[in-house]
Amino acid sequence: MALASNTADTAASAVRTDVQNQVTQSVTALDQMKEILINHGPDIIYAVVIFIIGLYIAKGLKNIAVRMMTHANYDHTVITFVSQLVYYAMMAIVLLSALNKAGIPTDSFLAAFGAFGLAVGLALQNNLSNFASGLLILIFKPFKAGDWVSINDVSGSIKGIQMLNTAIITKDNRTVFIPNSVITSTKVTNSSYQQDRYIEFLFDIGYQNDHHHAIAVLQDIFRSDPRILNNDTLEIGIKEFADSSVRIVAYPQVHGDDYLPVFYDTMSRVKDRFDSEGIDIPFPQRVVYVQAPAPATEEKETEKKDPAN
């Protein structure tokens, strides 16, 4: 009986010890949690606030990117890709900032992101340059879809600004893709940027023609065209005396959409009027003078006598 009693007391004591250890551990854990909340509670709250505010900022930047690219006539696939890229890049920055504010070390994360970014940058160096140039085109808007431009001897209408290049439709209906980095580093001529345009006409007449009469004929042609906007202040006169002609220049002003129709119509009407008025349109000429050869001189003796003779 005594042995059974001792065994029961030992088991009860072990149970009490186990319960006390569990209670002690629980109290210790609660004390540690309380200490963490007291010491790091404000930082955790700040981290949550940073995350929430950053989330709204990331969504706002994503919406701005979508609006800009939609306005610039980007392809839907490109809009989705770029907007998601902007969103997740911003969220990565927000997450690292929140973790750092909460007291969690982020050095390893930054090192990993840095190595990843360096590898991607080296692999896609040219593409990233084109992508950044595309963003600059979107921001500064040197042209938009539908504008008529000239870039590196390529002239045509802008079809669309893509992620890495810009598509141009030429006059003969070819589509030319020019890298965006080339566009931002070369001269771009936008013929649709201004609402009105000046047409530079250059007409050659013969030296034997009366230039006053030719200018009067040209002014009459321009005044009869209602599409010309500056008839009262039209700039016209002799530009230079060329090798075989007198060159008359004129600068009529027209709406952008009337540029080519006015140009073609005017050239045709000038040819008809010049023919009817007897005004010559000379072709390049060159006068060649041929000089007669000098009289032949007496023939000199060329053979020498043999010294032996």
Side-chain angles (χ1 to χ4, degrees):
M1 293 294 294
L3 182 58
S5 176
N6 290 335
T7 303
D9 291 340
T10 301
S13 176
V15 170
R16 285 195 300 269
T17 301
D18 186 56
V19 171
Q20 288 177 356
N21 290 336
Q22 292 182 0
V23 171
T24 302
Q25 291 176 359
S26 299
V27 172
T28 303
L30 290 174
D31 291 339
Q32 291 176 351
M33 186 176 297
K34 180 180 178 181
E35 184 179 355
I36 291 174
L37 290 175
I38 292 173
N39 294 332
H40 302 285
D43 291 337
I44 294 175
I45 294 174
Y46 290 148
V48 173
V49 172
I50 290 174
F51 182 81
I52 294 174
I53 294 176
L55 180 62
Y56 282 102
I57 293 175
K59 290 182 178 179
L61 291 177
K62 176 183 176 182
N63 293 333
I64 292 174
V66 170
R67 286 197 297 269
M68 290 176 60
M69 289 184 290
T70 301
H71 181 71
N73 199 26
Y74 264 73
D75 185 77
H76 177 70
T77 303
V78 177
I79 294 176
T80 302
F81 172 77
V82 175
S83 61
Q84 292 294 332
L85 181 64
V86 171
Y87 176 76
Y88 287 118
M90 187 63 191
M91 285 305 300
I93 296 174
V94 170
L95 183 60
L96 289 175
S97 300
L99 292 175
N100 186 58
K101 187 62 179 178
I104 300 175
T106 57
D107 295 340
S108 58
F109 291 102
L110 292 175
F113 278 122
F116 178 75
L118 179 61
V120 173
L122 291 176
L124 303 175
Q125 183 177 1
N126 293 332
N127 290 332
L128 289 176
S129 176
N130 290 326
F131 175 73
S133 299
L135 292 180
L136 291 177
I137 294 173
L138 282 176
I139 294 172
F140 294 103
K141 296 181 180 179
F143 49 75
K144 62 182 184 298
D147 286 356
W148 187 271
V149 300
S150 296
I151 304 172
N152 276 359
D153 298 329
V154 177
S155 298
S157 176
I158 296 293
K159 179 181 180 181
I161 307 169
Q162 308 300 327
M163 183 172 60
L164 302 179
N165 50 56
T166 296
I168 298 178
I169 301 178
T170 61
K171 194 72 174 176
D172 55 353
N173 206 30
R174 293 179 300 157
T175 301
V176 181
F177 296 92
I178 300 180
N180 289 330
S181 59
V182 173
I183 296 175
T184 56
S185 60
T186 192
K187 181 179 70 173
V188 178
T189 303
N190 188 342
S191 300
S192 304
Y193 203 82
Q194 301 293 338
Q195 182 178 0
D196 298 332
R197 296 180 60 186
Y198 286 92
I199 307 176
E200 182 181 4
F201 283 109
L202 196 61
F203 305 105
D204 290 344
I205 64 173
Y207 276 98
Q208 72 278 8
N209 296 127
D210 183 359
H211 66 275
H212 297 289
H213 177 58
I215 291 176
V217 170
L218 292 173
Q219 288 175 329
D220 182 60
I221 293 174
F222 290 131
R223 278 194 297 266
S224 63
D225 194 334
R227 295 169 296 182
I228 295 178
L229 307 176
N230 62 335
N231 276 318
D232 295 336
T233 58
L234 177 65
E235 182 179 347
I236 184 171
I238 295 177
K239 182 178 182 179
E240 63 176 320
F241 299 105
D243 293 339
S244 56
S245 65
V246 177
R247 316 198 81 176
I248 300 175
V249 67
Y251 295 95
Q253 183 183 17
V254 298
H255 291 304
D257 295 338
D258 294 332
Y259 183 90
L260 289 178
V262 171
F263 179 84
Y264 294 136
D265 291 347
T266 301
M267 294 295 287
S268 177
R269 296 175 65 189
V270 167
K271 178 63 170 65
D272 293 339
R273 284 293 300 275
F274 275 15
D275 289 345
S276 64
E277 298 287 341
I279 300 173
D280 296 329
I281 302 178
F283 51 87
Q285 303 177 31
R286 177 171 295 180
V287 178
V288 179
Y289 294 94
V290 180
Q291 186 175 0
T297 58
E298 292 183 0
E299 192 176 296
K300 294 182 178 180
E301 183 180 356
T302 58
E303 295 183 358
K304 294 183 179 180
K305 294 182 177 180
D306 189 345
N309 296 331

